[in-house]
Amino acid sequence: METAAKLHLSAEHEPPDDCEISVREFISLVGARVRNLRKSRNLSRRELSERSGVSLRYLAKLEGGDGNISIGLLKKVSIALNMPIAMLLSEDIGQAPETGRIAELYAKADSATRARVFHMLDPERTRAQKAERLCLVGLRGAGKSTLGAIAGREHGVPFMELNSEIEKSTGVPTSEVFALYGQEGYRQLEADALSSIVSSHSQAVVAVAGGIVSDEDTFHHLLSRFHTVWLQASAEEHMGRVRAQGDMRPMAGNPQAMVQLRQILKAREALYSLADHHLDTSGKTVEQSGLELSDLIRSNNIICDKAECGSFTR
């Protein structure tokens, strides 16, 4: 009995092993994260207790890194702090209050904004994902087809119009695609055509329809897999270029056409501005804009020089 008592006493005074130390550090980490988040939101411990329904005693133990963490109670705390519980438990993010705030904002952001955040935080990975693919975005009449074809020839890579790729896959003109598949069906075909280009080309210049920004997932995919350039122009120039191409439909029987065009441009500006680069073609000739686009491509190393390029497709 005496020997057993001595062994028990000895075990109680043994130093904690690495696993136990790791657990204690983790509990302290979570507690500190909860405390910092609470303070960053200017909440007292009592206010957090009232919001979460968790006792002051538990919150004090949690923030002090004392004792085991109850997942159920921690979930209540995470809801009250408007923070995913995974962010409280992660060992990969820092303890600074702004880290949690950034995670919170990221969780609420749309996919296009998330793509921009990734580009800023991990540019090398983003560049690898985009390979040497360039996509021109903007309203109809911005010059995407004309300048895209010039850029493709200049840099020796394929130029593709997404609508033409859709026509190839469906076997019908784009004008009939809407009648056959509807708006939702067209958007799915658009997404499929974009994915096909990504999987088959590491080098390409692509022009897309102006409305591609209306589908969040497709636009996110575009931003994350292509270097993007927003071709800008005034509403008047957009309309004038379309009419110069012989297409009078925008004005036919619609005296409010210009007003509507300005509204569309205004509504999409925030999304177009998410593009990596902006090129204003207002008041410029095709030659001038073509040279500026080529300079932009070279200065940002978007597509390698023809002499250095091998195969254009994977």
Side-chain angles (χ1 to χ4, degrees):
M1 290 289 292
E2 184 179 351
T3 302
K6 287 182 177 179
L7 288 173
H8 178 70
L9 185 62
S10 175
E12 285 184 342
H13 289 82
E14 285 182 1
D17 58 24
D18 290 344
C19 181
E20 186 177 346
I21 292 173
S22 179
V23 170
R24 289 179 182 178
E25 290 176 347
F26 175 70
I27 291 173
S28 295
L29 172 68
V30 174
R33 191 169 292 150
V34 170
R35 182 176 63 251
N36 288 336
L37 284 169
R38 174 177 61 79
K39 290 182 177 180
S40 72
R41 286 157 172 71
N42 296 316
L43 293 174
S44 68
R45 193 176 290 162
R46 181 172 296 279
E47 288 173 322
L48 180 56
S49 174
E50 292 172 353
R51 288 189 182 191
S52 64
V54 173
S55 71
L56 279 169
R57 182 172 178 273
Y58 175 79
L59 288 176
K61 289 174 68 67
L62 172 63
E63 292 186 358
D66 182 18
N68 291 328
I69 297 173
S70 165
I71 294 298
L73 295 180
L74 187 62
K75 178 64 176 177
K76 290 184 177 182
V77 172
S78 73
I79 292 172
L81 290 171
N82 194 25
M83 175 65 63
I85 191 171
M87 293 298 178
L88 297 180
L89 294 172
S90 173
E91 296 183 84
D92 297 327
I93 61 175
Q95 297 186 38
E98 60 268 21
T99 304
R101 179 59 177 162
I102 290 169
E104 178 185 353
L105 292 173
Y106 180 83
K108 293 179 179 179
D110 57 52
S111 56
T113 302
R114 290 183 185 185
R116 294 287 288 173
V117 170
F118 265 118
H119 174 66
M120 289 185 289
L121 296 180
D122 196 355
E124 291 306 316
R125 179 186 175 191
T126 303
R127 182 170 183 84
Q129 290 178 336
K130 295 182 179 185
E132 294 183 32
R133 292 182 292 265
L134 172 66
C135 186
L136 304 179
V137 301
L139 279 184
R140 189 179 178 196
K144 293 171 293 185
S145 298
T146 302
L147 296 179
I150 292 173
R153 290 194 301 270
E154 177 71 19
H155 297 276
V157 301
F159 167 66
M160 290 167 279
E161 293 188 81
L162 201 61
N163 276 343
S164 296
E165 298 304 304
I166 293 173
E167 290 180 351
K168 290 178 185 177
S169 66
T170 60
V172 297
T174 306
S175 57
E176 296 180 21
V177 169
F178 282 96
L180 290 171
Y181 299 94
Q183 181 77 5
E184 186 175 344
Y186 171 78
R187 291 302 173 204
Q188 184 57 56
L189 290 168
E190 192 174 49
D192 292 343
L194 198 69
S195 295
S196 178
I197 292 173
V198 170
S199 64
S200 60
H201 292 78
S202 61
Q203 292 180 313
V205 177
V206 179
V208 296
I212 199 169
V213 296
S214 62
D215 188 287
E216 182 180 325
D217 290 338
T218 302
F219 191 45
H220 172 214
H221 190 212
L222 187 157
L223 290 173
S224 63
R225 292 297 185 273
F226 290 81
H227 300 274
T228 48
V229 177
W230 173 23
L231 298 182
Q232 299 171 271
S234 66
E236 290 76 14
E237 287 197 81
H238 278 292
M239 184 67 76
R241 291 170 184 174
V242 171
R243 295 180 67 185
Q245 294 168 5
D247 188 351
M248 303 302 293
R249 289 174 297 171
M251 298 294 290
N254 185 8
Q256 296 298 311
M258 184 58 71
V259 174
Q260 293 172 1
L261 180 59
R262 287 197 183 95
Q263 291 173 342
I264 293 172
L265 183 57
K266 185 67 176 177
R268 292 179 180 173
E269 276 183 349
L271 292 171
Y272 287 146
S273 67
L274 293 173
D276 300 317
H277 310 281
H278 303 170
L279 179 61
D280 194 341
T281 63
S282 299
K284 298 172 185 174
T285 64
V286 171
E287 290 74 18
Q288 288 174 317
S289 294
L291 287 173
E292 289 187 12
L293 179 58
S294 287
D295 287 343
L296 185 154
I297 292 170
R298 289 193 182 93
S299 61
N300 290 280
N301 297 313
I302 294 174
I303 300 173
C304 68
D305 190 50
K306 282 190 290 187
E308 300 174 358
C309 291
S311 175
F312 297 143
T313 61
R314 291 201 282 261

